[in-house]
Structure formats: structure tokens, C-alpha cells
Amino acid sequence: MIDLSQKKIAVIGLGYVGLPLAVEFGKKYWTLGFDINQARVDELKSGRDSTLEVDAEELSQAARLTYSTNPQDLRQANVYIVTVPTPIDRHKRPDLTPLVKASQTVGKVIKPGDIVIYESTVYPGATEEDCIPLIEKESGLQYNVDFFAGYSPERINPGDKEHRLTTIKKVTSGSTPEIGEVVDALYRSIVTAGTHLAPNIRVAEAAKVIENTQRDLNIALVNELALIFNRLGIDTQAVLEAAGTKWNFLPFRPGLVGGHCIGVDPYYLTHKAQEVGYMPEVILAGRRINDQMGQYVVSQVVKHMLRRRIHVEGANVLILGLTFKENCPDIRNTRVVDIVQELNSYGANVDVYDPWVNAEECEHEYGLAPVAQPASGKYDAVIIAVAHQQFKELGLEAIKKYGRRECVVYDIKSLFPRDQIDARL
């Protein structure tokens, strides 16, 4: 039996991944939630989580959890869990800047015998090739002699109240077999769904990056089918519903592929593949298809507008939804912005309405100012981009009232019956 009673845990990065983790550990262990964003720490101290992943009651249950922006407070811990973002840059290359800075921070405080565990999505080898050397340089300690490492990829699904941290099986790994057992035991103590101990860190890294790559490719397939069926004059949703009657048909649907995982992770794998001399074809083909869907949606909306003799330049267009998925406030890497930019290139006037988003964050990230409430009878086209519950409850008749008499309604998410809208993906 591994003794975990003396473990003191620091979770570095308190976003969608880090906060739920810190809360669960804070119910059982001394835990420090660390973030460089003072406003984020202040809101958590007040018992509020703006990501809506953890409610006030859950925050209050983490009796042993404290928060800080002071790196010196990390010295009290002996297990450091890094949960910072791993985005891509404008050239679609991995941006390890947050991971580099977090590793340097750990390197300044780590002590002999301590363990650092990474949860951020990376390409195979990043933990030991990119992060660990930074810790060694900052600390003067030797890897797998003075300090140790683990990797346990996050599987958080923003906005999902059914599949939570504790109910999703957790992959774990360690830099030595013994440390792997410790890391596994630590997560097993909070994850009721159980754990899977991978043979080494690189296997765990690879497992994570292919989870979302597989989903990306499946969505790319149905997106390409939608492009084909549209040319054939066949309703894609009707085809998928018919095919779905077979027991082993996978229920993927066409749509925009954004967010911090599915639209990003494949580029980490393709980057590493190219680094070792292999040019991935299928993965990048899927990415190209998914990345063009925003432009495709606009092309279809414009065609319907022209058929009704609606002049596109100067037209008013309403987009319902900005987040990367339904019923959550997460706007990271949302592909709805592709639709906005494409419509702007036609000279259209675009309003975006999303009851889930923070207006200041939208302005900061994308230069967009969402409307507080759409005006009635104003719009020449309405695009339903995100399947928020509020839009379902609002109903199609109310949505149509936002438009003028000849308004085009395009339903990306197939919220409403095909015969009641003009087109859908």
C-alpha cells in the first residue's frame, strides 16, 4: 500500500482542467491552486467560477484547498501538477510558451524527492525532451535521481455535467515504474472511475493526442459527406439518420470543429511526425476539411440570399452563438469567428448574440462586441451556429422574428426540422 498521507499538491493553472482537479484533491489533501491571473484567483477565493465547471457548493467542499499567485507558495508542495493551456500559433504550430514558463516556475521551487506531473496535451516526448530539461536547468537537480515526473492527460469536457473528472477513467504514467505506481495511486484516490497505468510517459502522451485526432477525423468525414450530399441535393442529416439504424454506425454529425482540443491536438501530432521525417496525410487532410467549414457555411448562406435578391454587401446578418460548443462559456479557438470574418469580407454587417459569453473576453480575444439582445425585424440572414439550450427554448418562430420578411435561416446544428428552415449543414 502506497502512503499518500504526506503528499502536498500544487495545481499550476486554474482553468477548465486545473480547477476541477484542485477541488477534488483539496477534499482529501493539502492543495494549493496556483495561477498567474490575480482576477481568476480572487474570484475563486470569493467562491465563484466564471468557467461554470465548478459551482459554489463544490468549491466550499474543498476544505484543504487554498489559492495563490505567489510562486514562492509553491515551495510548500511536493507534487506539482501542471495544467496550463497548450495552444497553436497562427501558423498552426505548437506553442509551448505556457508550458515552458510553468516548467521554469516549477524548476525554481522543486526539491529533492518531489514529483512534477503534466496534464497539458502535448506531442509524444514533450514532457521529457522539452519540459524536464528546463526544470533541471532552473533547479540544478537531476531527473530521475533528485526529482521525478509523471504524465496524466486531461479528459475534461467543458459544459458536460455527466462526464466529470471523477467519472472519467484516468490515464497515468511515471518516469520510473515506482513513480508510475505513486502517480497512479494518487489519481486513483480521487477518480472513482478508476485509472489506467501506461507503461511510460511517451505512451500516455501519445494516447492523449490521438483521442482528439480520431474524433477530428471522424467529423472531417461527415463534413466531407455534407459537401458531397449538398451538391447531390440530398439532406445530410436524413442520410446520417438512415445510416445510423445500423448497430455499428458511428453517430458523428457535421459542424464547426473548434475548441482547445479537437481543433488543436492533431497539429501537435503532425508537428512531431514531420520532425521525425514523416509527412502525415490523412490527419492533415481532415484538418483542412474541418478548417474550411466556416467559409463553406457562408457560401451557402450567400447563395440563398442571392436567390432572394438580397444584396449581400451591406446586409445585416445575425449569428446565434459564439462559443466553441453548446451550453458553456468557452470561446477558445471557436470557429464561429471564421463565419464572422468571411461575412465581413463580403461587406455584410454582422451581429453576434450569445447569452453564455463574457463580452470583455470576446473583445479581447477576437475584437468582437456581442449584442446584448438582437433587434426584431433587422436581419437579412440568421445563422444558428451553436446549439445552446436557450436557442432551443426560444424556438424557431421567435428566431425568425429577428429577420425581415425574406430573411434566410441557416441551421448549422440542425436544431430545427429541415422543412422549417432554408438550409442546414
Side-chain angles (χ1 to χ4, degrees):
M1 178 70 72
I2 296 174
D3 182 14
L4 301 173
S5 61
Q6 300 305 308
K7 297 301 181 187
K8 294 184 176 182
I9 299 163
V11 177
I12 300 170
L14 297 176
Y16 286 85
V17 175
L19 180 62
L21 192 68
V23 167
E24 290 303 322
F25 277 125
K27 294 175 182 178
K28 300 188 68 170
Y29 306 96
W30 181 98
T31 304
L32 175 69
F34 175 84
D35 201 287
I36 60 173
N37 186 338
Q38 185 66 57
R40 174 63 168 161
V41 168
D42 288 344
E43 75 169 19
L44 294 174
K45 285 182 176 179
S46 71
R48 186 177 67 87
D49 169 30
S50 59
T51 70
L52 306 181
E53 288 301 302
V54 181
D55 60 32
E57 182 180 354
E58 290 174 305
L59 286 173
S60 67
Q61 291 171 354
R64 305 186 68 183
L65 171 62
T66 57
Y67 306 97
S68 177
T69 58
N70 185 354
Q72 294 306 312
D73 291 339
L74 294 169
R75 294 184 182 277
Q76 303 172 73
N78 50 37
V79 176
Y80 311 89
I81 304 179
V82 178
T83 61
V84 296
T86 44
I88 52 175
D89 64 19
R90 62 190 183 93
H91 302 294
K92 303 189 186 303
R93 297 175 304 198
D95 179 5
L96 297 182
T97 302
L99 208 57
V100 166
K101 292 182 177 179
S103 298
Q104 291 170 333
T105 297
V106 171
K108 290 179 171 66
V109 298
I110 200 167
K111 306 173 295 300
D114 288 356
I115 302 172
V116 55
I117 304 169
Y118 288 88
E119 290 216 0
S120 306
T121 302
V122 292
Y123 45 75
T127 297
E128 294 174 296
E129 296 168 11
D130 297 289
C131 301
I132 295 303
L134 295 171
I135 296 177
E136 287 185 312
K137 181 179 179 181
E138 292 289 341
S139 67
L141 301 178
Q142 187 176 349
Y143 178 49
N144 276 345
V145 175
D146 302 311
F147 74 96
F148 305 90
Y151 183 80
S152 181
E154 60 90 2
R155 282 176 165 171
I156 295 295
N157 187 25
D160 189 337
K161 299 307 179 184
E162 178 182 355
H163 301 98
R164 310 295 301 278
L165 169 66
T166 59
T167 61
I168 303 172
K169 196 163 191 173
K170 199 85 163 72
V171 173
T172 63
S173 64
S175 56
T176 69
E178 295 76 18
I179 293 301
E181 294 291 348
V182 173
V183 172
D184 191 69
L186 188 63
Y187 280 102
R188 198 166 60 245
S189 71
I190 64 166
V191 178
T192 56
T195 58
H196 174 88
L197 178 56
N200 56 57
I201 287 174
R202 288 168 63 88
V203 168
E205 291 170 325
K208 169 57 183 176
V209 80
I210 72 165
E211 289 176 12
N212 288 320
T213 299
Q214 181 187 69
R215 184 167 176 79
D216 190 43
L217 285 170
N218 277 305
I219 298 173
L221 172 61
V222 295
N223 274 338
E224 187 164 53
L225 293 175
L227 301 179
I228 295 169
F229 292 144
N230 177 261
R231 289 174 179 265
L232 295 173
I234 301 173
D235 181 47
T236 303
Q237 295 296 329
V239 173
L240 294 174
E241 288 168 9
T245 59
K246 188 180 180 186
W247 74 92
N248 60 352
F249 187 82
L250 300 178
F252 287 92
R253 292 293 183 267
L256 306 176
V257 184
H260 63 295
C261 289
I262 300 177
V264 173
D265 295 356
Y267 289 118
Y268 274 75
L269 183 57
T270 58
H271 167 82
K272 191 63 176 181
Q274 291 169 354
E275 193 177 80
V276 296
Y278 178 77
M279 176 57 69
E281 297 183 30
V282 174
I283 297 171
L284 288 176
R287 281 279 75 236
R288 286 192 294 271
I289 290 170
N290 287 339
D291 280 346
Q292 74 172 2
M293 294 310 292
Q295 288 81 0
Y296 173 76
V297 166
V298 172
S299 73
Q300 297 304 298
V301 172
V302 167
K303 284 181 181 179
H304 281 275
M305 292 173 70
L306 293 177
R307 286 170 185 163
R308 294 186 181 177
R309 297 186 176 5
I310 299 173
H311 196 56
V312 179
E313 185 176 4
N316 295 319
V317 181
L318 173 64
I319 298 176
L320 295 178
L322 179 61
T323 61
F324 90 91
K325 64 176 292 188
E326 66 276 6
N327 303 325
C328 83
D330 195 346
I331 62 171
R332 291 176 295 172
N333 193 40
T334 173
R335 299 322 330 147
V336 178
V337 297
D338 297 343
I339 297 176
V340 176
Q341 292 166 357
E342 188 73 1
L343 284 167
N344 286 337
S345 74
Y346 278 93
N349 304 310
V350 183
D351 283 349
V352 178
Y353 172 62
D354 193 319
W356 283 86
V357 302
N358 179 289
E360 292 182 5
E361 186 180 1
C362 294
E363 180 69 35
H364 178 265
E365 290 294 325
Y366 302 111
L368 292 175
V371 296
Q373 183 64 43
S376 296
K378 173 182 177 180
Y379 301 100
D380 299 291
V382 176
I383 301 174
I384 304 168
V386 186
H388 288 318
Q389 185 63 34
Q390 287 93 330
F391 299 153
K392 293 180 184 179
E393 294 172 352
L394 183 61
L396 187 57
E397 289 308 310
I399 289 173
K400 286 183 175 180
K401 289 180 180 178
Y402 294 139
R404 296 172 177 166
R405 187 171 63 86
E406 293 296 320
C407 175
V408 171
V409 178
Y410 192 97
D411 187 0
I412 294 177
K413 302 301 293 184
S414 296
L415 279 186
F416 301 106
R418 175 66 184 88
D419 60 355
Q420 295 179 25
I421 56 173
D422 294 294
R424 63 185 183 184
L425 193 55

